[in-house]
Amino acid sequence: MKTILVTGATSGIGLAAAQQIAEEGDRLILVGRNADRLTAAAERVRSAGAGAVDTIECDVASQHSVRALAATVLDSYARIDVLANNAGGFFMGRKESADGIETTFATNHLGGFLLTELLLDRLIDSAPARVVFTSSVMHYGATMDFADLGYTHGYSAQKAYGRSKLANVMYARALSRRLAGTGVTANAFHPGTVATGIWDALPAIVRPVLALGKRMFMTSADEGGRRLTYLAIDPNLVAVTGCYFHNDRVRPPSELARDDTAGDRLCAISAELTGLPTPGA
Ligand SMILES: NC(=O)c1ccc[n+]([C@@H]2O[C@H](COP(=O)([O-])OP(=O)(O)OC[C@H]3O[C@@H](n4cnc5c(N)ncnc54)[C@H](OP(=O)(O)O)[C@@H]3O)[C@@H](O)[C@H]2O)c1
């Protein structure tokens, strides 16, 4: 039985994927911030056929919370076959996390970065294993200003979100280079424009149009989840690494995402921001 950890597993893409993966009879570790939402998600994943379902509370925007999550996982599970870094959000106003980091960057990139780094040896020991990042087409056109990663100047929700999703692709690629030959893969993907709760962060004035858009134009959570499930468990992808997927196909990510020097710099700064040694140093 495989052990598969999914962050952002209480709703939307993560919950749908967890239910689909459960059909294989695997052990699912569901991660989210809220105990009641986790309990409800676990019931759905259990009834979908999971071999076992565990839940762990964690706020991925808090480094203290991510460290506690990693410690629990390392204490409790001898292997991790798949780590799906899927938790994410969209924030209309600029806020900072308890660690003093802009919330979009802290939630969508640094939390997954820290969790992955802390679990990396266990993933390598579990090879063949996979790390998957839920990124977005919004990474195209995003910038990476290493002097002001958290947009203390010129914040907009779209720009910060795009940057965090660019960081997902850059980190997946940098990780795949470091993990070459270990049997652990790292890939990022765009799940589609998916009708989930993430859109609820948009201003109330656009909600009627949004509700219509969700029904008429957006991909279902099940389909978005299926794209995560594909990367997490499809046997054909066992050796595919360092890629960005869109509609289940490998696509070139943005030019900046393909800049390996910038990718290594992002990893070094992310390590500094999370109190880790420079990766690969
Ligand atoms: N929907 C789209 O069109 C779309 C497109 C491209 C990429 N994505 C990406 O897909 C991923 C999943 O989003 P979704 O669309 O499924 O939205 P969603 O339904 O709002 O789900 C977001 C999930 O992330 C969790 N989460 C958010 N902040 C967290 C935090 N600080 N700590 C721990 N968990 C946290 C939420 O759990 P709790 O609130 O229960 O803690 C929830 O399970 C995100 O990374 C998003 O950027 C979505």
Side-chain angles (χ1 to χ4, degrees):
M1 179 160 68
K2 286 183 184 162
T3 299
I4 296 171
L5 189 157
V6 182
T7 70
T10 56
S11 64
I13 294 159
L15 175 57
Q19 289 175 273
Q20 292 157 11
I21 293 166
E23 291 170 17
E24 306 293 313
D26 289 326
R27 172 190 294 278
L28 271 296
I29 307 168
L30 311 181
V31 175
R33 284 171 297 186
N34 178 283
D36 291 341
R37 285 202 292 275
L38 278 169
T39 302
E43 272 171 30
R44 291 172 65 170
V45 174
R46 204 169 282 119
S47 57
V53 186
D54 298 325
T55 61
I56 307 178
E57 278 178 58
C58 173
D59 177 353
V60 299
S62 154
Q63 294 179 22
H64 173 77
S65 189
V66 173
R67 286 181 183 278
L69 165 64
T72 303
V73 170
L74 292 173
D75 278 351
S76 313
Y77 305 97
R79 55 182 303 111
I80 309 159
D81 298 276
V82 180
L83 168 59
N85 286 303
N86 168 74
F90 185 86
F91 305 92
M92 288 309 294
R94 187 183 184 283
K95 281 182 283 183
E96 291 188 357
S97 69
D99 305 298
I101 290 162
E102 189 281 311
T103 307
T104 322
F105 196 74
T107 307
N108 296 3
H109 165 61
L110 271 191
F113 171 86
L114 179 58
L115 182 61
T116 304
E117 294 293 329
L118 294 174
L119 299 183
L120 209 53
D121 287 343
R122 186 63 49 86
L123 284 155
I124 292 169
D125 290 344
S126 310
R130 306 181 188 198
V131 187
V132 180
F133 298 88
T134 308
S135 178
S136 169
V137 286
M138 294 274 287
H139 89 272
Y140 291 107
T143 61
M144 194 63 71
D145 178 357
F146 290 111
D148 186 21
L149 280 172
Y151 279 107
T152 52
H153 303 288
Y155 179 89
S156 85
Q158 289 92 329
K159 284 195 283 187
Y161 183 80
R163 177 170 293 174
S164 72
K165 294 289 140 183
L166 172 61
N168 294 155
V169 185
M170 292 170 92
Y171 179 44
R173 284 172 54 90
L175 194 59
S176 75
R177 292 195 301 279
R178 263 168 76 203
L179 291 172
T182 64
V184 183
T185 62
N187 293 294
F189 76 107
H190 171 62
T193 302
V194 188
T196 67
I198 202 166
W199 301 96
D200 298 347
L202 292 178
I205 193 160
V206 302
R207 296 228 179 107
V209 181
L210 189 62
L212 191 68
K214 274 187 173 180
R215 278 201 306 276
M216 295 188 64
F217 306 113
M218 289 196 196
T219 303
S220 69
D222 277 348
E223 178 57 13
R226 196 197 56 69
R227 291 170 179 159
L228 173 51
T229 301
Y230 173 64
L231 282 183
I233 62 170
D234 192 284
N236 293 318
L237 300 183
V238 71
V240 177
T241 190
C243 295
Y244 171 73
F245 284 75
H246 185 144
N247 283 337
D248 300 338
R249 291 198 164 171
V250 175
R251 305 269 182 203
S254 71
E255 196 177 333
L256 184 50
R258 286 180 271 133
D259 179 340
D260 291 344
T261 306
D264 289 342
R265 189 160 176 212
L266 173 70
C267 290
I269 294 176
S270 301
E272 202 176 304
L273 289 170
T274 52
L276 294 176
T278 305

